């Protein structure tokens, strides 16, 4: 589905991604872990075309996309739940969702299906985006990305700043999307949540992938957990 192959990405002269390779198989969830500032968001930005790589290739469903502008990448079927959310505060929940709607027979997300997945958003349909709680805003951001009918969803720290209860809710949503067969690449700081849902795990340090394996491989690897994730064993 997605193959990120040895990409190098920069901010100006700053060489941030130094040969990153990451894959997402169809219908599976890959997770990127790592401390702050290691290049996780830059990897997401490189895929969606905000910070295109200067070297390396990104293939999505057989197309090379590393040189495409982000609107084309989105049209090809990649949706983004950005870090820090970004709902439209002066639009209602319903308006936030419908503005993202894209005609597509492929997967067919509709307002009704979004409300089925997020009953809370249905209750809040007429509320302004800016008046939602952090958890509700995260639901709305995920719902909005789904309304574009993506084949691959990129999620950048969806649990950031949420209460434990809402983190559990986000985990449930992600599990439900997996059941639907959606392919996903998720960045997370909440390691235990990430390992519950991941099919494959990448750990990044200083712009490089320093570990990849199954969630069980990582759970058994005390050295990686300690060195790169700051976990005591
Ligand atoms: N817009 C930017 N301009 C310059 N440097 C940036 C910018 N965004 C991020 N960086 C730097 O790139 C590195 C990787 O950042 P980022 O990908 O956001 O890390 P992560 O998501 O893993 O916390 C950091 O050193 C950060 O300071
Ligand atoms: Mg980040």
């Amino acid at each position: 589905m997605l193959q990120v192959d040895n990409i190098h990405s920069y901010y100006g002269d700053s060489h941030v991604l130094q040969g990153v390779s990451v894959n997402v198989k169809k219908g599976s969830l890959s997770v990127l872990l790592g401390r702050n500032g290691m290049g996780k968001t830059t990897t997401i930005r490189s895929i969606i075309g905000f910070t295109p790589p200067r070297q390396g290739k990104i293939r999505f469903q057989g197309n090379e996309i590393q040189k495409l502008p982000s609107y084309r990448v989105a049209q090809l079927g990649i949706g983004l739940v950005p870090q820090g959310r970004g709902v439209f505060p002066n639009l209602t929940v319903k308006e936030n969702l419908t503005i993202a709607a894209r005609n597509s027979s492929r997967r067919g997300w509709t307002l009704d299906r979004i409300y089925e997945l997020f009953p809370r958003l249905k209750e809040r349909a007429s509320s302004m985006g800016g008046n939602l709680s952090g958890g509700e805003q995260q639901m709305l951001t995920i719902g909005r990305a789904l309304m574009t009918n993506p084949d691959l969803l990129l999620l950048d720290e969806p649990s950031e700043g949420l209460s434990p209860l809402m983190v559990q809710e986000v985990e449930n949503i992600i599990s439900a999307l997996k059941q639907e067969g959606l392919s996903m690449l998720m960045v997370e700081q909440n390691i235990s949540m990430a390992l519950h849902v991941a099919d494959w795990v990448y750990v990044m340090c200083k712009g490089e992938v320093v570990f990849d394996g199954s969630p069980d491989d990582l759970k058994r690897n005390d050295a990686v957990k300690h060195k790169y994730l700051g976990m005591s064993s």
Side-chain angles (χ1 to χ4, degrees):
M1 160 94 12
L2 180 79
Q3 288 116 19
V4 175
D5 182 11
N6 198 26
I7 59 168
H8 291 254
S9 299
Y10 296 70
Y11 295 108
D13 291 335
S14 175
H15 187 177
V16 172
L17 296 190
Q18 312 203 356
V20 168
S21 298
V22 166
N23 291 320
V24 182
K25 290 192 179 142
K26 194 168 165 49
S28 84
L29 168 56
S30 295
V31 167
L32 287 182
L33 301 176
R35 291 192 170 102
N36 270 332
M38 294 308 171
K40 303 181 301 295
T41 294
T42 306
T43 302
I44 298 285
R45 292 181 58 90
S46 298
I47 296 166
I48 201 78
F50 294 152
T51 305
R54 289 195 201 159
Q55 276 181 63
K57 285 191 173 16
I58 304 176
R59 289 186 198 82
F60 175 62
Q61 293 182 325
N63 302 301
E64 282 192 14
I65 62 167
Q66 72 273 1
K67 291 200 167 67
L68 299 181
S70 39
Y71 79 91
R72 281 289 302 142
V73 176
Q75 279 173 350
L76 285 174
I78 300 186
L80 174 65
V81 176
Q83 188 168 13
R85 307 167 195 135
V87 305
F88 300 116
N90 298 320
L91 299 184
T92 65
V93 166
K94 189 177 174 189
E95 288 164 348
N96 264 280
L97 289 170
T98 47
I99 202 168
R102 193 180 66 171
N103 278 335
S104 167
S105 52
R106 279 186 297 182
R107 199 171 284 277
W109 282 98
T110 59
L111 204 51
D112 284 345
R113 283 190 65 213
I114 299 288
Y115 286 157
E116 222 171 276
L117 186 62
F118 304 98
R120 187 70 190 141
L121 291 184
K122 186 171 185 182
E123 291 166 24
R124 300 285 262 148
S126 313
S127 304
M128 289 296 166
N131 292 336
L132 301 183
S133 71
E136 290 166 344
Q137 289 194 20
Q138 190 57 267
M139 304 293 153
L140 180 54
T141 310
I142 296 172
R144 200 172 57 186
L146 292 173
M147 287 295 276
T148 68
N149 281 302
D151 295 312
L152 171 70
L153 186 62
L154 310 174
L155 303 117
D156 195 350
E157 299 205 24
S159 80
E160 194 181 20
L162 300 185
S163 66
L165 205 66
M166 288 310 304
V167 172
Q168 182 58 53
E169 186 63 26
V170 167
E171 182 184 323
N172 295 346
I173 298 288
I174 288 165
S175 301
L177 293 174
K178 264 182 76 163
Q179 297 283 315
E180 294 261 347
L182 186 64
S183 311
M184 291 177 276
L185 176 63
M186 177 170 76
V187 171
E188 253 306 326
Q189 290 283 351
N190 187 320
I191 297 162
S192 68
M193 186 276 257
L195 294 184
H196 283 156
V197 291
D199 296 300
W200 203 252
V201 185
Y202 297 87
V203 178
M204 291 187 70
C205 183
K206 296 182 184 165
E208 296 182 80
V209 173
V210 291
F211 168 90
D212 83 279
S214 69
D216 283 339
D217 292 338
L218 180 60
K219 282 176 202 160
R220 281 192 293 264
N221 196 324
D222 289 336
V224 167
K225 284 194 294 187
H226 180 71
K227 187 168 180 197
Y228 299 112
L229 301 173
M231 295 166 78
S232 45
S233 33

